Amino acid sequence: MLLMTVIYIAFIGLGLPDSMFGTAWPAIYQEWGLPFSFGSFIVSIIYCGTMFSSLLSAKVINRFGIKYLRSARH
């Protein structure tokens, strides 16, 4: 059950920044005094972080294994 909760939170956490940024940015850039084009820099950081975590996930799985998934099925 704990593993499913972590997976669910990770799934939501990966999709939330993409959808929320577009609706929040018009208010954020005005309040913080940033140029509107600075949003593309932030989106680039978000996408680079997503790619980095995707590439790193294979190493994490190889290091720690998937023993928790196997034991949950039995």
Side-chain angles (χ1 to χ4, degrees):
M1 184 66 176
L2 176 65
L3 181 61
M4 290 303 293
T5 305
V6 170
I7 291 171
Y8 180 73
I9 290 171
F11 179 75
I12 297 299
L14 285 174
L16 194 61
D18 298 333
S19 61
M20 292 300 294
F21 184 77
T23 56
W25 183 244
I28 293 172
Y29 88 91
Q30 290 175 349
E31 186 173 325
W32 290 357
L34 298 171
F36 185 76
S37 60
F38 192 73
S40 61
F41 177 71
I42 294 174
V43 169
S44 298
I45 290 173
I46 291 170
Y47 288 138
C48 287
T50 302
M51 285 189 334
F52 179 73
S53 67
S54 297
L55 295 171
L56 192 64
S57 66
K59 290 186 179 190
V60 171
I61 290 171
N62 287 335
R63 177 173 170 94
F64 296 108
I66 55 171
K67 62 184 174 186
Y68 297 111
L69 291 176
R70 289 187 200 142
S71 65
R73 290 182 187 162
H74 297 285

